Amino acid sequence: MNKEIVKLIYPQWQGGQNLNYVLGAKVMEAIVPNSEKMDEINVPVSLEKNGDKTSQIDDEAALIKQIQAAQVILEDRNPAKVITIGGDCSTSLASLDYLNGKYHGNLGVLWFDAHPDISSPEQSSHLHEMVISTLMNIGAKNVQNVLKHQFSNKQFLLSGLIEKDLRNCQIFCVNRSFS
């Protein structure tokens, strides 16, 4: 019987081209407790460093293969909630795409990060820098083709950003006043 929560162990590193993300995922896996309501499942991740850039992003083929593996796990288990224990930020793509579909676009995302991850392929070749833009169908084209449930910018609240590190970000940078 499938459980309510899936804990994806997803030590992907290719999105940031940094093998240290594998170690970070192992540390987080040890910290995050298990539960009787939770299935813990490993997403197969290649540890081969080939630096392949066939399109807009580095190691695109490996990244797409890993995203598709995570999608199959989530679709098979059909959990109500997903905890993604990952390496780089692009491990969020499959989980957020799945949840946005499951909840018919009624999903809000609090993105706590020093960087907004809204870069374009013209600004970076690392998928971990364009997670949100890819979810909104304006990032890495071949990865977008694998995702099924496009987001709008209204579904994200970005927090923790370092202002001096922000790039030109037309999709979010609007003047807003709060009363």
Side-chain angles (χ1 to χ4, degrees), residues 2-9 32 35-41 70 73-85 92 94-103 107-108:
N2 291 342
K3 297 187 179 175
E4 177 183 353
I5 303 169
V6 164
K7 177 180 170 184
L8 283 181
I9 308 302
V32 176
S35 162
E36 291 179 13
K37 296 180 181 179
M38 182 184 305
D39 278 330
E40 182 175 311
I41 304 169
I73 291 166
L74 294 170
E75 289 167 8
D76 179 56
R77 299 296 175 127
N78 192 30
K81 301 172 188 170
V82 181
I83 298 172
T84 305
I85 306 297
S92 301
S95 300
L96 290 174
D97 182 59
Y98 164 80
L99 291 168
N100 199 36
K102 182 167 186 70
Y103 296 109
L107 181 72

Side-chain angles (χ1 to χ4, degrees), residues 10-178:
Y10 198 171
Q12 181 168 282
W13 59 273
Q14 293 94 336
Q17 293 294 292
N18 186 340
L19 276 166
N20 290 325
Y21 289 135
V22 174
L23 176 60
K26 289 180 189 261
V27 170
M28 290 303 298
E29 178 184 0
I31 293 171
V32 176
N34 289 323
S35 162
E36 291 179 13
K37 296 180 181 179
M38 182 184 305
D39 278 330
E40 182 175 311
I41 304 169
N42 290 293
V43 176
V45 171
S46 171
L47 295 178
E48 291 182 33
K49 188 170 187 168
N50 63 21
D52 179 36
K53 184 178 179 188
T54 57
S55 184
Q56 296 177 318
I57 58 172
D58 296 326
D59 281 325
E60 182 178 85
L63 288 161
I64 288 174
K65 183 177 180 181
Q66 291 160 189
I67 290 167
Q68 289 173 323
Q71 288 173 319
V72 167
I73 291 166
L74 294 170
E75 289 167 8
D76 179 56
R77 299 296 175 127
N78 192 30
K81 301 172 188 170
V82 181
I83 298 172
T84 305
I85 306 297
D88 67 67
C89 292
S90 63
T91 60
S92 301
L93 286 165
S95 300
L96 290 174
D97 182 59
Y98 164 80
L99 291 168
N100 199 36
K102 182 167 186 70
Y103 296 109
H104 311 289
N106 292 317
L107 181 72
V109 178
L110 291 169
W111 192 262
F112 289 97
D113 198 328
H115 310 98
D117 298 342
I118 56 174
S119 296
S120 70
E122 294 77 33
Q123 296 168 316
S124 176
S125 63
H126 294 169
L127 185 60
H128 79 135
E129 293 183 43
M130 55 184 94
V131 176
I132 294 175
S133 53
T134 299
L135 288 167
M136 291 177 20
N137 211 30
I138 53 176
K141 295 291 181 208
N142 291 335
V143 176
Q144 287 168 196
N145 292 337
V146 174
L147 303 178
K148 302 171 185 167
H149 309 284
Q150 183 177 339
F151 281 76
S152 77
N153 65 348
K154 294 177 182 177
Q155 290 178 266
F156 294 96
L157 175 62
L158 308 178
S159 182
L161 302 176
I162 299 173
E163 187 175 354
K164 70 177 182 64
D165 290 345
L166 295 178
R167 296 179 177 159
N168 184 13
C169 54
Q170 296 173 346
I171 59 176
F172 279 98
C173 295
V174 295
N175 292 325
R176 294 186 184 181
S177 60
F178 299 92

